[in-house]
Amino acid sequence: MYNLPNVINGLISFIPTCAYFLACSVYEKCVPVIKNTEKMQPYFNNSSKNMISAGIANIFLVYPLFTYFEKEIDTVQAKHVVLGCLMIDTIEYFWHALYHNVPQLYSSSHSYHHKPFPVYPRASFYNDDAEVFVTSSFILGTFVYLPYSYYEYIIITALSYFATVCDHTNTNKNKFHILHHTGNKNTNFQQPFFTFWDHVFYTYNQKSKVKIPFIP
């Protein structure tokens, strides 16, 4: 049955969006203020639009999908949260590597994400709409297929948004994800928490500073 969330679950649906804006507020204090904000404003606006759209999608698409497939809504298990974060990293690594290794995909879609310069927290989710749709659909489908609850999905998504903003906080030229943007773009694909897949597939940039999730 197609069900929309009640008021409480509707508010909970916007937790990942709120996590994004909170993360921007926190991590922007770690980097110099951008002087040419006019040039960067379109990137900021697109990133914010994507995050607000994600909250709306949670209400009108994600929650109804969980109820349609009779998934749990409010159960939370710590092991599911940890495994979910590892799963996000796995999905992101392989999609990210694919977009970089297929020239047509990079030029037509993923190159959008590499346009903002300098790399800045409020531009973390500046992405082409087609890439957002494909990657988000795959992630959502995986969570719906596996035994995750809606609340677990919300928690994992919120953590991933927070960590992604951290990744785009340029506090060191050798920071793991900053090197991906400003150094060799065909290295350091994994996001947003860890780096193990880059080690496994030899795409780890050896210049990288050790990455600790949520530490800018």
Side-chain angles (χ1 to χ4, degrees), residues 50-174:
N50 287 337
M51 292 296 93
I52 293 170
S53 297
I56 295 171
N58 284 342
I59 290 176
F60 292 101
L61 174 63
V62 181
Y63 184 92
L65 270 178
F66 271 78
T67 59
Y68 179 82
F69 288 103
E70 299 181 344
K71 306 277 291 181
E72 293 287 341
I73 297 299
D74 57 0
T75 59
V76 177
Q77 296 185 49
K79 67 177 181 180
H80 279 184
V81 173
V82 173
L83 291 173
C85 290
L86 296 176
M87 184 174 70
I88 287 282
D89 263 27
T90 300
I91 293 171
E92 288 284 353
Y93 176 85
F94 288 105
W95 274 111
H96 198 178
L98 179 68
Y99 275 107
H100 274 270
N101 285 285
V102 177
Q104 294 84 354
L105 288 177
Y106 183 84
S107 61
S108 66
S109 187
H110 187 66
S111 61
Y112 282 67
H113 181 67
H114 284 268
K115 286 181 179 180
F117 186 84
V119 181
Y120 201 71
R122 268 191 289 165
S124 301
F125 286 89
Y126 176 75
N127 291 299
D128 176 56
D129 290 341
E131 182 180 358
V132 172
F133 176 78
V134 171
T135 308
S136 299
S137 296
F138 193 90
I139 291 172
L140 173 58
T142 304
F143 275 102
V144 171
Y145 178 76
L146 295 175
Y148 283 89
S149 73
Y150 182 67
Y151 281 14
E152 288 167 343
Y153 172 83
I154 290 295
I155 292 169
I156 294 163
T157 305
L159 291 172
S160 71
Y161 289 177
F162 213 98
T164 298
V165 176
C166 179
D167 277 351
H168 292 83
T169 304
N170 191 354
T171 52
N172 188 297
K173 66 178 182 178
N174 290 328

Side-chain angles (χ1 to χ4, degrees), residues 173 176-187 205 207:
K173 66 178 182 178
F176 178 81
H177 194 68
I178 297 303
L179 276 174
H180 173 74
H181 275 265
T182 62
N184 186 345
K185 290 181 172 61
N186 288 320
T187 61
N205 191 323
K207 296 179 181 178

Side-chain angles (χ1 to χ4, degrees), residues 5-26:
N6 58 26
V7 173
I8 297 300
N9 285 331
L11 293 173
I12 287 171
S13 298
F14 269 91
I15 287 177
T17 300
C18 293
Y20 164 76
F21 286 106
L22 175 61
C24 287
S25 176
V26 170

Side-chain angles (χ1 to χ4, degrees), residues 14-43:
F14 269 91
I15 287 177
T17 300
C18 293
Y20 164 76
F21 286 106
L22 175 61
C24 287
S25 176
V26 170
Y27 291 120
E28 281 181 6
K29 296 176 182 177
C30 302
V31 293
V33 176
I34 288 180
K35 295 180 180 179
N36 190 359
T37 54
E38 184 176 339
K39 180 190 76 172
M40 295 292 289
Q41 199 61 50
Y43 305 137

